[in-house]
């Protein structure tokens, strides 16, 4: 597989060389394949956001290096070279609605493509397309972003990032503070982008259900280092280990773990409702047979 | 943004940390006044020794204080150079056009430098050892007499404490929005002046919007908790004047007297 992101021995120290210096990342090495859906989980303050900010050059490593979408970054990389990198990495920050500023929704979405050299018409065409993609009605395109509801503002902000047409999409808790419906719609939209446009998605979340439902690669962080780098199946197979590292299980897996304690024989713990239903359906005739036999 | 030291407070349990903020505030201002009494080597050495004593007592490393000087270094150098090149009197070492270097000028330059550093060290000491909330409480009680001439001291103090409390929040917010716009292709601090000014818009507008939203939320939350304004409100944070505070005042009086003696 093609590596989209290759991180080698990355270290980062905040305010290095000052009395406030504080180490946030220690020897992080990680590979992310192109077109994969990676979830980064970990306790608050474990270094997730710091790691993410390296992916589009907002932070440069104190030592170590990384390659993102063909751009090589070390502590010596010049700021000028980072612009090219940012073009390829779309970054949806936590509460991205805070970044809206233009007079109209359309202009705000078109802001990023314009910055990366698209003409005004092209940028607005892309903007209109992205607005539809994130489910914004045409009627709001000419209104001010500040007149919209919180959920709609979030969509405008996300459309503004997608309008850059990135290869890699970094999502930092994109559904924080949304209602259940909005959350599901948002996650389904990212999944669709992942499937159809083969975007590499990197998701930071505390929602284990989302990890189980969408991700194919899970990275667990603690105290600025990686403590697991594997599949969701693997990571969620050991509830005790997760508990020890202050992480939870997806609801389905937690339920299945309880069933397993009662003697239901799962070979692996199911992650999604669908998997659980299938496993149970498989087991049904057997247990039924035993009862009658 | 992270590198700013202004208004930083460093947690500690030192003697200086525990002094009454009113006393500390007053003495810091007073210190600035008496620095101007200095006019010879002995007086500057005495003041420097004093400041070093306070730094030692505060248990904060000298590095922080030196960092405090850094943002003002250009102003200091400018003033010092002005003193050195444009003073007259005394023995002339060098002369060219309007510039002259005299021994008097050099001495004045050094004195001005010392004066700046002493004042900055002292004010850094105040902010490093006093929480913003203590400072605004201290100011409130120092300004209390002004209520007699209808100055809204209570409101000013509340404004001040809210403002101080939101400085770090706004700083975080600024960093966050800057990052978000950078990720969308804005280059802050690059290109020509016009371009640089234009790039501030995507930062300032969201910042204003979020400040107003924050203000509204805060006002509602304060009202929901029964706030009606200053009238009849009690104080939770009590300030206590202790023996050490009196000692500090006595020390400063002694210092002033000595300075007047040493002056020529």
């Amino acid at each position: 597989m093609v590596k989209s992101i290759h991180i080698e021995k990355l270290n980062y120290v905040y305010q290095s060389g000052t009395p406030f210096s504080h180490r946030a990342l220690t020897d992080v090495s990680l590979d992310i394949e192109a077109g994969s859906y990676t979830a980064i989980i970990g306790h608050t303050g474990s270094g997730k956001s710091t790691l993410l900010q390296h992916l589009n050059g907002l932070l440069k490593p104190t030592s170590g290096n990384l390659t993102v979408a063909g751009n090589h970054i070390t502590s010596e990389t010049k700021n000028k070279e980072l612009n090219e990198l940012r073009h390829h990495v779309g970054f949806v920050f936590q509460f991205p609605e805070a970044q809206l500023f233009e007079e109209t929704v359309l202009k705000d979405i078109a802001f990023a493509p314009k910055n990366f050299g698209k003409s005004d018409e092209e940028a607005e065409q892309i903007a209109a397309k992205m607005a539809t993609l994130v489910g914004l009605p045409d009627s709001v395109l000419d209104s001010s972003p500040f007149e919209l509801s919180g959920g709609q503002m979030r969509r405008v902000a996300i459309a503004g990032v997608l309008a850059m047409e990135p290869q890699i999409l970094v999502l930092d808790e994109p559904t924080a503070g949304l209602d259940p419906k909005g959350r599901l719609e948002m996650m389904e939209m990212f999944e669709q982008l992942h499937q159809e446009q083969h975007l590499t998605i990197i998701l930071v979340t505390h929602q284990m259900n989302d990890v189980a439902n969408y991700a194919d690669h899970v990275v667990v962080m603690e105290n600025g280092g990686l403590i697991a780098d594997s599949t969701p199946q693997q990571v969620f197979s050991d509830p005790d280990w997760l508990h020890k590292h202050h992480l939870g299980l997806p609801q389905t897996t937690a339920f299945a773990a309880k069933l397993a304690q009662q003697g239901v024989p799962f070979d692996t713990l199911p992650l999604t409702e669908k998997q659980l239903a299938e496993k149970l359906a498989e087991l049904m005739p057997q247990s039924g047979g035993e009862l009658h036999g | 943004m992270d590198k700013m030291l202004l208004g930083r407070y460093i947690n500690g349990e030192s003697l200086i940390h525990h002094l009454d903020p009113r006393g500390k505030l007053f003495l810091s201002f007073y210190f600035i006044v008496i620095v101007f009494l200095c006019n010879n080597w002995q007086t500057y050495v005495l003041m420097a020794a004093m400041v070093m004593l306070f730094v030692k007592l505060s248990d904060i490393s000298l590095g922080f204080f030196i960092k405090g000087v850094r943002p003002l270094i250009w102003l200091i150098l400018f003033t010092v150079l002005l003193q050195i090149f444009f003073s007259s009197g005394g023995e002339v070492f060098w002369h060219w056009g309007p510039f002259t270097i005299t021994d008097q000028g050099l001495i004045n330059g050094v004195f001005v430098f010392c004066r700046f550093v002493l004042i900055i060290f002292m004010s850094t000491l105040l902010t490093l050892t006093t929480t913003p909330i203590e400072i605004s409480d201290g100011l409130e009680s120092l300004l209390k007499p002004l209520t007699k001439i209808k100055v809204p001291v209570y409101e000013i103090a509340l404004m001040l404490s809210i403002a101080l409390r939101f400085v770090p929040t706004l700083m975080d917010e600024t960093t966050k929005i800057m990052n978000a716009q950078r990720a969308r292709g804005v280059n802050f601090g690059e290109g020509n002046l016009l371009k640089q000014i234009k790039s501030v818009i995507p930062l300032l507008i969201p910042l204003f919007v979020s400040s107003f939203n924050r203000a509204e939320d805060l006002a509602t939350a304060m009202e929901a908790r029964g706030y009606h304004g200053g009238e009849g409100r009690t104080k939770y944070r009590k300030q206590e004047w202790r023996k050490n505070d009196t000692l500090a005042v006595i020390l400063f009086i002694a210092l002033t007297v000595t300075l007047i003696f040493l002056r020529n």
Side-chain angles (χ1 to χ4, degrees), chain A residues 89-106:
Chain A
V89 184
F91 205 128
V92 177
F93 284 84
Q94 247 177 65
F95 299 102
E97 51 273 27
Q99 72 190 31
L100 304 176
F101 73 100
E102 285 274 19
E103 298 137 52
T104 70
V105 168
L106 193 70

Side-chain angles (χ1 to χ4, degrees), chain B residues 59-72:
Chain B
D59 270 345
I60 293 172
S61 78
L62 198 60
F64 283 101
F65 294 90
I66 293 167
K67 278 237 147 58
V69 176
R70 198 174 283 169
L72 289 169

Side-chain angles (χ1 to χ4, degrees), chain A residues 108-119 122-124 126-127 160 163-164, chain B residues 184:
Chain A
D108 202 285
I109 303 178
F111 179 66
K114 268 191 227 166
N115 283 332
F116 290 114
K118 290 266 194 292
S119 73
E122 266 182 302
E124 292 201 352
I126 299 173
M164 292 161 56
Chain B
R184 296 209 284 167

